[in-house]
Amino acid sequence: MTVSTMSFHGAAGTVTGSCIEIRWNDKIIIVDCGMFQGTRTLEALNYERLPFEAHKVSAVILTHAHLDHSGRLPYLVKSGCSAPIWCTPPTADIIEPLLLDSAKLQVADVERRNRRPDRAGHKAFDALYTADDVAACMGYVRESKYCDWNDLGDGCGFRFWDARHIVGSASVELLIDGQRILISGDIGEGKPILCGDAPLGGYDHIICESTYGDRTRENFLISDRREQLAVHVESTLRRGGNLLIPAFAVERTQVVLEDLIALFDTKRLQYVDVFVDSPLAERVTRATLRYRDNGADMLNRPNIRFTHDVQESKKLNNITGAVIIAGSGMCTGGRIRHHLIRNLPNPASRVLLVGYQAGGTLGAVLKEGALHVRISGNDVAVKADIRSMDFYSTHADRPTLLDWIKSRAPVLANIFLVHGEEPALSAFASDIAKSIDLPTAIIPALGEAWQLSKDKPATRICKARPDAQKCTAPRDWTGQLAALQSGLGDRLAALPSDKSRARVLAALAKALEHEAFR
């Protein structure tokens, strides 16, 4: 008797680190192997030993290029995996520059952290992987078009369905142990292209993302979105500040540029300098343009300039009255952090967040209204204007997600909800529970494993890892410490007297001493 199981090694109770392991007989299939982003506790999971035998993996299936789905692929190969890594042709074209940039940032980050005085005498940090590991990983990449069936042997196979999230993004239909399993990947807005000769519906199990499971976005026209962007540009530049737009190099940067170009071409905006401070974004833009039937030429505009090296990036420190687009979208790394250090203390500048901000990330902390933040060891006062525009999200909202599942009914056994934070997961599960034609949703925790059966509810066979709740908490103790440290001197100085300052410090010292001896 054969048993098939599914384990959730990422994006369970959180929106990052997507990784699902499916076992049947001697086969191990891994769907996505992404990086964890957010709190230090969550990011530390990237450096843990993989929770499965990498050398025994039969196939890896990648839903799309974003790092929270692809970012640990080189580490997977470095750990001994020699299985083919299946993805769509656009994804195959995009992930190489994306992973090379990730490797470069990791190497630079560990070098910087190892040089810090407080690291003296401690074991040195190592990068998760290097450019050589990325090159080795790319040797295993295999391409498959949407709707083509791929036989993995022993009655097992898969096909990609259009997911409408970013260029090349896909949902994965798996046939294993006689069961049809559909893994959504990240779902976007808009009508997907269907596989005409394949049945849509009748899946045994659906695993669905829930990023915006608690949000209903208002309907909008692209013209409305562009008008809002124009207002942000004009009001910021009128004050003499810079408009900073943290944006992912894949898709988000290109869409923002398309909107700016349209505003310039229609004369809604006067020409202003736009700097894309991300060599990665230029490489990705060239790749994505190969898969667009039409669209603006973003690479040959006199007022839109892509920086190519660190020196060009540093010159932007002396610029005012410009739009600066830089990665990363949640401010977790990349060049946007340098621009934030310089521009956040300036009341004339504005930061425009145009994507989802996972809990614990710098982007989320800014969005929540922090008055001080700590960036790369620097205490930074937040006096700049912080705004956000959800219209740029490439994630489906609550009604669209529900419609996506309903259009794939009947679901014969289970719906698993992943890739969401707790409020979104609970709200979306509640919506599903109210739908009489859908089974009750399961919200798996990090590390859980489930036995799958055809036409029957799954059975949990392995509990969550003991620290699952701590790992997925929106803010860990390191984040709380950073919040306390940031601007501490200013806040103490604002107290009415030296006596009150001494009282606060004495109370803190006493509390630390008390906890140490509990």
Side-chain angles (χ1 to χ4, degrees):
M1 179 179 177
T2 61
V3 175
S4 53
T5 63
M6 180 160 52
S7 302
F8 297 89
H9 300 309
T14 180
V15 296
T16 63
S18 291
C19 185
I20 295 175
E21 173 196 0
I22 299 173
R23 286 179 179 253
W24 177 52
N25 286 344
D26 295 329
K27 284 192 178 297
I28 299 177
I29 297 172
I30 302 298
V31 179
D32 288 343
C33 195
M35 294 191 76
F36 290 95
Q37 299 164 314
T39 65
R40 287 286 179 89
T41 301
L42 198 58
E43 289 179 349
L45 300 181
N46 292 320
Y47 294 87
E48 288 187 355
R49 187 173 181 176
L50 292 168
F52 49 82
E53 306 94 322
H55 67 282
K56 293 184 178 180
V57 172
S58 305
V60 182
I61 306 173
L62 177 62
T63 61
H64 65 285
H66 278 153
L67 284 177
D68 60 326
H69 292 259
S70 69
R72 282 192 296 165
L73 287 174
Y75 181 61
L76 175 62
V77 172
K78 181 181 177 180
S79 300
C81 176
S82 58
I85 301 171
W86 293 94
C87 59
T88 64
T91 299
D93 213 3
I94 293 169
I95 56 170
E96 184 171 20
L98 200 68
L99 293 174
L100 283 172
D101 186 73
S102 174
K104 180 180 177 182
L105 288 175
Q106 288 179 64
V107 170
D109 184 57
V110 298
E111 289 177 350
R112 177 186 59 79
R113 292 172 70 184
N114 287 332
R115 287 197 302 267
R116 285 172 52 167
D118 59 354
R119 291 296 306 167
H122 292 271
K123 182 181 177 182
F125 291 110
D126 291 321
L128 190 63
Y129 52 83
T130 66
D132 289 341
D133 298 317
V134 173
C137 174
M138 293 305 299
Y140 295 103
V141 171
R142 303 290 182 269
E143 298 179 14
S144 175
K145 296 179 181 178
Y146 292 120
C147 302
D148 285 356
W149 187 256
N150 301 280
D151 188 358
L152 299 177
D154 298 327
C156 191
F158 78 95
R159 66 163 56 94
F160 287 126
W161 291 78
D162 180 20
R164 302 296 294 177
H165 175 57
I166 65 170
V167 62
S169 62
S171 300
V172 178
E173 177 189 352
L174 270 168
L175 179 64
I176 188 166
D177 196 16
Q179 302 174 68
R180 291 181 72 211
I181 301 170
L182 183 63
I183 300 173
S184 71
D186 286 355
I187 303 167
E189 301 279 357
K191 191 174 181 179
I193 299 170
L194 301 179
C195 302
D197 61 343
L200 184 65
Y203 300 100
D204 293 281
H205 309 279
I206 286 182
I207 297 88
C208 185
E209 70 117 323
S210 314
T211 310
Y212 280 171
D214 60 344
R215 304 185 197 182
T216 300
R217 279 199 295 268
E218 59 182 287
N219 292 326
F220 70 95
L221 300 173
I222 292 178
S223 58
D224 295 333
R225 184 182 71 197
R226 289 173 176 170
E227 176 60 26
Q228 284 200 27
L229 179 60
V231 170
H232 283 299
V233 172
E234 287 177 330
S235 59
T236 305
L237 271 55
R238 191 162 48 241
R239 297 197 306 268
N242 291 319
L243 178 63
L244 304 187
I245 304 180
F248 292 112
V250 182
E251 197 73 17
R252 200 64 47 85
T253 293
Q254 291 77 36
V255 175
V256 172
L257 285 176
E258 284 180 344
D259 282 0
L260 287 169
I261 288 169
L263 291 167
F264 296 143
D265 287 350
T266 59
K267 304 295 191 289
R268 171 60 186 85
L269 273 182
Q270 293 183 351
Y271 282 104
V272 299
D273 288 328
V274 177
F275 297 94
V276 184
D277 192 16
S278 169
L280 170 64
E282 182 173 16
R283 293 194 293 271
V284 170
T285 299
R286 293 186 185 279
T288 56
L289 288 177
R290 290 196 283 271
Y291 299 96
R292 293 176 184 246
D293 295 331
N294 50 53
D297 182 359
M298 309 171 199
L299 299 170
N300 295 292
R301 294 276 175 157
N303 66 318
I304 297 177
R305 305 166 204 176
F306 289 79
T307 61
H308 298 99
D309 54 44
V310 174
Q311 293 306 314
E312 287 186 21
S313 178
K314 287 182 176 180
K315 288 180 181 178
L316 300 184
N317 290 338
N318 302 316
I319 295 287
T320 56
V323 177
I324 301 175
I325 304 170
S328 67
M330 294 187 288
C331 308
T332 54
R335 294 183 178 178
I336 191 63
R337 294 171 70 89
H338 301 290
H339 297 300
L340 289 170
I341 290 171
R342 176 167 177 78
N343 285 272
L344 282 177
N346 183 0
S349 290
R350 176 174 292 177
V351 179
L352 182 60
L353 302 168
V354 294
Y356 186 85
Q357 306 299 318
T361 61
L362 176 58
V365 171
L366 290 171
K367 188 174 181 179
E368 291 163 4
L371 299 179
H372 294 82
V373 291
R374 193 169 178 84
I375 305 175
S376 303
N378 297 279
D379 289 331
V380 184
V382 181
K383 297 181 180 178
D385 190 22
I386 311 296
R387 300 293 183 95
S388 61
M389 281 182 66
D390 279 345
F391 293 152
Y392 280 102
S393 174
T394 50
H395 282 278
D397 66 358
R398 185 176 186 168
T400 306
L401 288 170
L402 189 60
D403 288 345
W404 186 89
I405 292 179
K406 285 183 173 181
S407 68
R408 285 147 183 82
V411 184
L412 306 177
N414 291 106
I415 296 171
F416 293 90
L417 299 184
V418 296
H419 207 282
E421 294 176 338
E422 197 285 325
L425 292 164
S426 296
F428 191 30
S430 176
D431 280 354
I432 291 172
K434 296 172 186 174
S435 303
I436 58 174
D437 55 339
L438 296 175
T440 301
I442 295 171
I443 302 176
L446 197 63
E448 279 188 1
W450 293 74
Q451 182 176 321
L452 306 180
S453 301
K454 184 174 177 59
D455 299 344
K456 297 178 182 178
T459 304
R460 190 175 67 176
I461 58 174
C462 180
K463 293 182 180 180
R465 51 186 291 163
D467 61 349
Q469 191 171 4
K470 184 182 82 169
C471 290
T472 56
R475 178 170 287 189
D476 60 7
W477 76 268
T478 61
Q480 293 172 323
L481 174 62
L484 177 64
Q485 288 177 321
S486 183
L488 181 60
D490 290 341
R491 282 178 280 178
L492 285 171
L495 294 176
S497 66
D498 284 348
K499 187 175 181 180
S500 59
R501 284 184 275 274
R503 193 162 51 242
V504 169
L505 292 172
L508 176 60
K510 185 176 180 179
L512 288 171
E513 184 178 357
H514 175 72
E515 288 297 324
F517 290 98
R518 285 185 66 175

